[in-house]
Amino acid sequence: MKLIDAQHISHSYNGKDLVLDDICLTIRRGEFLSILGASGSGKTTLLSVLGGIERPTSGKVFVDGEDICAANESRRAVLRRTKIGFVFQFFNLAPYLTVEQNILVPILLGGKGKKSVAERLDKLLSVIGLEDRRNSLPGKLSGGEQQRVAIARGLICGPDAILLDEPTGNLDSVNSEGIMCLLGEINRRFGTTVIQVTHSEKNAGYGSRVLCISDGRITGDVSLRADGKDDVSEERLR
Ligand SMILES: Nc1ncnc2c1ncn2[C@@H]1O[C@H](COP(=O)(O)OP(=O)(O)OP(=O)(O)O)[C@@H](O)[C@H]1O
Ligand SMILES: [Mg+2]
């Protein structure tokens, strides 16, 4: 079942050079997709377009059947809160808010889900292994722990997908592996579609599918899950 359907996406920031060049891409519910490519190949731009942060110069993006390029800004903001969670390389946590308060920021901005927020918060704190640090400030946490908090924040509204831009770009190899395993667990346990951008072939190997991009074009698209099944979760966050 399609979750994101990008049709003939092209994008230019300056009106002439194409950063994305006629990309067609369908992402099914429950996939764990890694977007792999060299610096400047258009990975961040593609992620921003798929998640409705950036409007492409041409082409259409459907999220759960809805054309997000046609949606107005306020509708796009709602879609970003409810259907898609974002995680960035540099965590972007608020330094004066505790772990728990940081995770709840999207709720304060108006997001919600079906289950009670308190229940989801407890579940996410347990999944990221930081239940006993819920009242700590981010400055007291390691980089890997801070990224776990950012991931929980991206999941608090119970989105269909979580989009991550080089989530381990700022972490050492031990912490990177921990984050990749956490993403795998979230994907399997909650059925959340995971889309990550990475420079690392090793990190790309944790997912179910690898998309290679070069100069704004798709140059490879490989499925890594032998059974072809993606949506195998039993538990839902919503
Ligand atoms: N806001 C912007 N304004 C103008 N040009 C931009 C903007 N963002 C990106 N670009 C240009 O678009 C191209 C693709 O950039 P993008 O950030 O998507 O690449 P990337 O694959 O994510 O690179 P990296 O691995 O270094 O993060 C680059 O040439 C970049 O300079
Ligand atoms: Mg980038």
Side-chain angles (χ1 to χ4, degrees), residues 11-14 18-20 37-48 54 89 165-166 197-199 213:
H11 193 64
S12 162
Y13 288 105
N14 59 11
L18 282 182
V19 170
L20 299 180
S39 184
S41 56
K43 304 181 297 296
T44 296
T45 307
L46 177 59
L47 201 70
S48 306
E54 190 81 52
Q89 180 175 346
D165 195 356
E166 302 203 38
V197 156
T198 181
H199 270 119
I213 77 165

Side-chain angles (χ1 to χ4, degrees), residues 106-182:
I107 299 287
L108 299 175
L109 292 174
K112 52 182 186 286
K114 285 177 191 152
K115 268 191 186 150
S116 90
V117 171
E119 194 183 327
R120 253 191 345 256
L121 175 66
D122 287 345
K123 183 174 272 188
L124 286 170
L125 280 165
S126 147
V127 169
I128 65 171
L130 292 176
E131 287 152 302
D132 55 341
R133 309 298 298 278
R134 61 198 301 155
N135 296 316
S136 300
L137 292 173
K140 304 275 181 201
L141 304 179
S142 73
E145 288 168 339
Q146 289 185 52
Q147 192 58 301
R148 287 169 179 270
V149 175
I151 289 170
R153 179 181 57 188
L155 292 170
I156 191 66
C157 294
D160 295 310
I162 186 161
L163 274 54
L164 309 98
D165 195 356
E166 302 203 38
T168 65
N170 213 25
L171 300 178
D172 63 25
S173 62
V174 173
N175 274 304
S176 295
E177 199 174 330
I179 293 291
M180 286 303 118
C181 292
L182 173 65

